[in-house]
Amino acid sequence: MTTTVPALGTRTAEGSALQAVLLDMDGTLVDTEGFWWDVEVEVFAALGHTLDDSWRHVVVGGPMSRSAGFLIEATGADITLAELTVLLNQGFEDRIDRALPMMPGAARLLAELAAHEVPTALVSASHRRIIDRVLTSLGPQYFALTVAGDEVPRTKPHPDPYLLAAAGLGADPARCAVIEDTATGVAAAEAAGCRVVAVPSVAPIAPAARRTVVTSLEEVDLPFLRGLMTEMR
């Protein structure tokens, strides 16, 4: 789907331009949302509890404190949030060490953004230790900066991570395209004033103002992202 692309900063007749692309990680670039749920199921099974599959939609895309806290309360498990966080991170790291599948179209999109020198940031609710592990396979060279969930006072669904990323890239949030796979991430990006491309991974996401829903990153390229800015006018 990649085509000949004008240089970064080329403006439309209306004066709009894409300034940066901000991407979520789990479920957006790497196919790991299922990893988190599998680890949660295994950890709670070891504690003597069975997780209801409907809870998956509650915990997907959120910060560790929220998802882990919900599961402790829902099951009544005898474990602290700090203890559970350690177990979940360890289990997730074990899985990504064995395999780290990328989402269809992710590698091509990252290469295209880098080739055209589009400022790009990775913005995740995952902890820094997880992001750094994933980056070794994903390619740290593709990102001018990364924002982890444990590095901001309020992570997704609050706008703080995306506002921080936009500021770090010197970009206007309204001129940033965000790519997300969950309602939690979409809420954060929209609260920051960004234009959102939703690629639902676990639960459906409906189209809305300033939000475009696609089925795969294979539908997304640089001309597509630039076109989102012109639609705002």
Side-chain angles (χ1 to χ4, degrees), residues 29-154:
L29 293 177
V30 288
D31 191 7
T32 51
E33 285 292 7
F35 286 13
W36 283 112
W37 179 248
D38 290 345
V39 170
E40 287 160 351
V41 168
E42 289 183 5
V43 168
F44 277 90
L47 295 170
H49 298 275
T50 300
L51 299 189
D52 189 314
D53 195 59
S54 66
W55 296 342
R56 182 174 183 176
H57 297 292
V58 179
V59 301
V60 66
M64 178 78 72
S65 57
R66 190 198 74 184
S67 58
F70 168 82
L71 293 174
I72 291 172
E73 183 176 354
T75 60
D78 184 18
I79 189 171
T80 68
L81 180 60
E83 292 169 338
L84 180 57
T85 296
V86 170
L87 293 177
L88 293 178
N89 277 327
Q90 287 177 342
F92 185 81
E93 287 179 22
D94 289 343
R95 274 169 169 71
I96 62 176
D97 283 345
R98 296 196 297 266
L100 187 62
M102 293 190 69
M103 299 298 289
R108 186 266 312 153
L109 179 59
L110 289 176
E112 182 181 7
L113 294 174
H116 290 84
E117 299 182 346
V118 177
T120 304
L122 185 67
V123 183
S124 176
S126 291
H127 290 185
R128 169 55 58 187
R129 59 184 282 189
I130 296 295
I131 289 180
D132 287 345
R133 285 291 264 282
V134 173
L135 275 174
T136 59
S137 297
L138 197 56
Q141 71 275 13
Y142 291 122
F143 305 99
L145 64 86
T146 61
V147 177
D150 56 342
E151 294 175 340
V152 289
R154 303 185 306 171

Side-chain angles (χ1 to χ4, degrees), residues 179-190:
I179 304 179
E180 272 280 359
D181 72 304
T182 67
T184 300
V186 166
E190 290 180 343

